[in-house]
Amino acid sequence: MTTDEFLAWAEGRPGRYELIDGQVIAMSPERVQHAEVKAAAYLALRSAIRSVVLPCRAMPDGMTVRIDDHTAFEPDALVYCGGRADPNAVEIANPVIVVEVVSPGTRSVDQGAKLRGYFRVPSVAHYLILYPDNRLVVHHARGTGDVIATRMVSEGTLSLDPPGLTVPVADLFADD
């Protein structure tokens, strides 16, 4: 299945899906912890954008990021900059930051196919993988050329430049 066929197929269909190499993958039901952390991440990114008044928007899960003609992911949160997306759009073409919250069933995909895929999108500057159980952020950042710099952070702040955000690590996780 192509990404265009997938988006047409998925629209209005109950449940959540992603497309990996032309294969439709149903997303498992979420645990409360997963939902709380992805909500916290979205709110932290939105708050960081508002505090520096950037022409960017944070989006919760539900938006599609097209990787190529046969792969499309639905991150748990994202940030894009520039003009506001069409209100009827189901995909964001130019995300700058993408966030995935790890769950037991998604760990290998988040660390493998999604890491490789998200950085195939030219606009992606940061890919954050959040580990709720130990409140750890693995921050992958696009460097010069094909270099992807990776660091693990469990306290302090994350500098996400571009677009110029500073996010407290604690704010990315749900309150206990």
Side-chain angles (χ1 to χ4, degrees), residues 28-68:
S28 299
E30 295 178 345
R31 294 188 167 107
V32 168
Q33 180 186 44
H34 187 97
E36 289 176 341
V37 171
K38 75 179 183 181
Y42 158 71
L43 292 171
L45 292 167
R46 189 175 88 172
S47 176
I49 291 166
R50 288 181 173 177
S51 73
V52 292
V53 192
L54 288 173
C56 300
R57 295 187 181 275
M59 301 294 292
D61 72 326
M63 301 309 304
T64 297
V65 174
R66 180 187 301 253
I67 305 305
D68 60 31

Side-chain angles (χ1 to χ4, degrees), residues 55 57 80-87:
R57 295 187 181 275
Y80 73 94
C81 299
R84 186 176 195 155
D86 179 334

